Amino acid sequence: MNEHYIENVFGQITVRYEDKIVRVTCDDALMGYLELPGNGSVPLAEHILASYETYFHKPLEISLHSLAVEILGHAYADKFGTCLSELSKHLSKEQTNYLHRLAEKLLERTSIIDCGEKSVDSNRFVWDFLEPFHSLIYFLLGKNC
């Protein structure tokens, strides 16, 4: 049986930790937290990465901003699509089309946010690709980031 841990982060956000993956429940608790002023996804990602290392005695191979952007991308899939339109000014047409298809998929699957390492998450490269644009993404999502 695979080892796993479940934690209520900040007293309300449910995170399940497994080897190479964390699963964040996208519910009213998460959305309420993300609606607070500031960029809540960054301290949440910091906490998740630190907890993972405590539980498994090794780092989760996901960078801070890749994880924070992924959480926002799933939680705000509708706004993220709009954000991608602005971001597309800096990308090729092929990259833009791919990201818009991703935004559509995000809208279909938002109750659990699966954030995994490259070896277990086929979409990790997308969030890693968007990581250099994290400041722009945080800005474009406004207070909801």
Side-chain angles (χ1 to χ4, degrees), residues 50-69:
S51 291
Y52 182 92
E53 191 158 356
T54 298
Y55 292 134
F56 290 97
H57 309 291
K58 64 180 181 176
L60 181 64
E61 297 297 324
I62 301 175
S63 71
L64 173 66
H65 291 292
S66 180
L67 181 57
V69 168

Side-chain angles (χ1 to χ4, degrees), residues 1-143:
M1 177 179 272
N2 288 347
E3 189 174 16
H4 71 274
Y5 304 89
I6 298 176
E7 175 182 59
N8 284 325
V9 178
F10 306 132
Q12 57 187 322
I13 302 165
T14 303
V15 180
R16 180 183 172 113
Y17 299 85
E18 301 172 27
D19 187 39
K20 299 183 181 186
I21 193 164
V22 294
R23 301 177 198 281
V24 181
T25 301
C26 188
D27 57 8
D28 290 342
L30 176 65
M31 298 308 290
Y33 172 77
L34 292 175
E35 289 174 2
L36 297 173
N39 186 352
S41 67
V42 172
L44 177 57
E46 288 172 335
H47 181 89
I48 289 170
L49 293 171
S51 291
Y52 182 92
E53 191 158 356
T54 298
Y55 292 134
F56 290 97
H57 309 291
K58 64 180 181 176
L60 181 64
E61 297 297 324
I62 301 175
S63 71
L64 173 66
H65 291 292
S66 180
L67 181 57
V69 168
E70 182 172 8
I71 291 167
L72 291 175
H74 283 276
Y76 293 111
D78 53 344
K79 284 187 79 172
F80 197 70
T82 303
C83 176
L84 290 177
S85 294
E86 183 65 27
L87 185 60
S88 68
K89 296 175 184 176
H90 306 283
L91 305 174
S92 72
K93 184 175 181 172
E94 181 179 301
Q95 291 169 326
T96 300
N97 289 340
Y98 179 81
L99 291 176
H100 282 287
R101 287 192 305 275
L102 174 67
E104 290 173 7
K105 287 181 184 178
L106 291 176
L107 285 170
E108 296 171 7
R109 296 180 272 156
T110 58
S111 63
I112 301 291
I113 304 170
D114 294 327
C115 307
E117 295 180 358
K118 290 177 188 175
S119 64
V120 297
D121 187 347
S122 63
N123 288 326
R124 177 88 271 127
F125 77 96
V126 173
W127 308 111
D128 291 346
F129 170 78
L130 291 173
E131 179 184 19
F133 302 101
H134 69 270
S135 294
L136 180 60
I137 291 167
Y138 301 155
F139 173 76
L140 292 172
L141 288 174
K143 76 173 186 78

